Amino acid sequence: MEVAQTIESIRYLVKATRRRGGKIGLVPTMGALHVGHVSLIEAARKDCDFVVVSIFVNPTQFGRGEDFEKYPRPLEADLEICRKAGVDAVFAPASEVMYPGENLTWVTVEKLTRPLCGRCRPGHFRGVATVCTKLFNIVGPDVAYFGQKDAQQAVTIRRLVRDLNMPLEIVVCPTVREPSGLAVSSRNQYLSEQQKKDAAQIYKALQECRRMIDAGQTSPKRIIGRMREILQQVPSMEIEYVSIVDAETLETAGRIAGRVLVAVAVRLGSTRLIDNILVDAGR
Ligand code: AMP
């Protein structure tokens, strides 16, 4: 496995595969790799001839007061995980490589980035869309892999690629969970054992939502009310949002019909956690 820290070197590494007409897969990450990331790497490994994992804690997607400084950066362990997973090349640039001076060009995806996390994290998706555009331009993948865990990010990147005619396919892989149901996340490292147990309540609320929809409930208000009750069983859990939106447009669902995204964001102490499920109400 090769490790590239510069744009020239990662471009050089993918060149041979591109010349041969091989398929290049990119898994963009911020590192602190876990089984969720590995599932994306495995999907890429299956489809592609050359798999690149990028590891970059992107400063422009963090807001003021967020966890950019304390975000875990265990590079050696990450490289070992990549090696074991059969990655061909890791692109791990320094901030100065990705943003060598003042950045004047930004990519903004409208509408889709306004609700849900967009409301609580202004500028976040502008940072995400910009860094993904840069990574796509640097690596030139045929396919890029994202996780359903970050549903709004996946929808936004799909739209970005479509609107800007970028020549790559976006594949979204299912959320990998702990046995408790808690979605695996690099940020789970911030949680105490008790908080981890408490955090499992998020998935309980999501499952209850699925049960209600399966039982024929069509009122988002009723479902959200019940989900909030379940989340509030953990007194220290601060609810940022519980939303049911159209899975494609991310507009608030007035009534449960078709494919809906049920999304939750909470805070446990200083840790922000998000999770979601997609439900096809089939009505
Ligand atoms: P991150 O390093 O947190 O920016 O995540 C990198 C990619 O891994 C994103 O596309 C995430 O959606 C995806 N990802 C993170 N956690 C999970 C998970 N538990 N299951 C599946 N994909 C995940």
Side-chain angles (χ1 to χ4, degrees):
M1 186 179 80
E2 306 279 350
V3 181
Q5 287 176 318
T6 66
I7 291 168
E8 297 71 35
S9 54
I10 191 65
R11 282 198 171 133
Y12 175 78
L13 289 171
V14 294
K15 213 176 185 172
T17 307
R18 185 167 304 119
R19 279 223 185 101
R20 279 191 277 111
K23 200 166 174 179
I24 297 154
L26 171 67
V27 181
T29 81
M30 298 204 300
L33 300 182
H34 51 61
V35 288
H37 298 114
V38 172
S39 75
L40 306 188
I41 296 171
E42 282 168 356
R45 193 60 288 164
K46 249 186 229 150
D47 295 349
C48 301
D49 301 298
F50 195 88
V51 176
V52 179
V53 170
S54 62
I55 298 178
F56 180 60
V57 185
N58 174 36
T60 66
Q61 71 188 69
F62 287 79
R64 219 172 276 161
E66 289 187 355
D67 57 346
F68 175 69
E69 266 88 32
K70 80 164 185 179
Y71 199 86
R73 291 164 170 87
L75 185 61
E76 280 312 314
D78 286 348
L79 295 179
E80 197 45 40
I81 289 171
C82 288
R83 254 180 229 118
K84 284 205 178 115
V87 170
D88 295 294
V90 169
F91 178 48
S95 262
E96 304 74 54
V97 168
M98 292 298 280
Y99 299 103
E102 187 189 0
N103 200 65
L104 298 180
T105 308
W106 299 96
V107 182
T108 306
V109 179
E110 297 180 358
K111 282 190 180 172
L112 298 175
T113 57
R114 225 174 277 152
L116 309 174
C117 292
R119 200 158 285 153
C120 320
R121 303 186 73 187
H124 169 68
F125 288 109
R126 181 181 86 146
V128 169
T130 302
V131 82
C132 286
T133 301
K134 286 162 78 72
L135 290 168
F136 297 161
N137 284 335
I138 291 165
V139 176
D142 298 287
V143 194
Y145 296 81
F146 290 85
Q148 176 61 30
K149 156 84 175 25
D150 299 277
Q152 190 172 16
Q153 168 173 284
V155 169
T156 299
I157 300 300
R158 269 230 166 97
R159 186 61 188 230
L160 157 76
V161 162
R162 188 174 121 192
D163 284 353
L164 297 185
N165 310 95
M166 294 181 173
L168 74 149
E169 183 194 341
I170 300 298
V171 170
V172 180
C173 300
T175 302
V176 177
R177 299 178 180 283
E178 304 273 3
S180 69
L182 172 64
V184 178
S185 163
S186 307
R187 289 189 168 98
N188 292 355
Q189 293 185 24
Y190 302 148
L191 302 173
S192 67
E193 283 312 308
Q194 184 56 48
Q195 285 177 321
K196 265 191 199 154
K197 278 185 198 146
D198 291 344
Q201 200 72 4
I202 302 168
Y203 191 56
K204 289 208 184 105
L206 290 168
Q207 278 179 311
E208 173 64 4
C209 168
R210 191 187 294 281
R211 192 198 63 74
M212 288 176 84
I213 293 176
D214 288 347
Q217 181 56 260
T218 57
S219 159
K221 203 170 150 211
R222 286 257 166 83
I223 299 172
I224 290 169
R226 179 71 194 118
M227 289 177 72
R228 282 182 168 271
E229 274 173 22
I230 293 172
L231 294 171
Q232 279 158 359
Q233 285 170 17
V234 176
S236 59
M237 194 176 278
E238 203 183 299
I239 301 173
E240 212 167 76
Y241 63 75
V242 179
S243 300
I244 304 183
V245 298
D246 179 278
E248 263 106 67
T249 64
L250 305 187
E251 282 167 11
T252 303
R255 171 175 177 279
I256 305 292
R259 262 163 48 86
V260 292
L261 175 75
V262 187
V264 175
V266 303
R267 266 172 201 288
L268 265 180
S270 57
T271 307
R272 185 174 182 277
L273 299 172
I274 58 169
D275 199 354
N276 69 84
I277 52 169
L278 276 173
V279 186
D280 194 343
R283 288 185 275 266

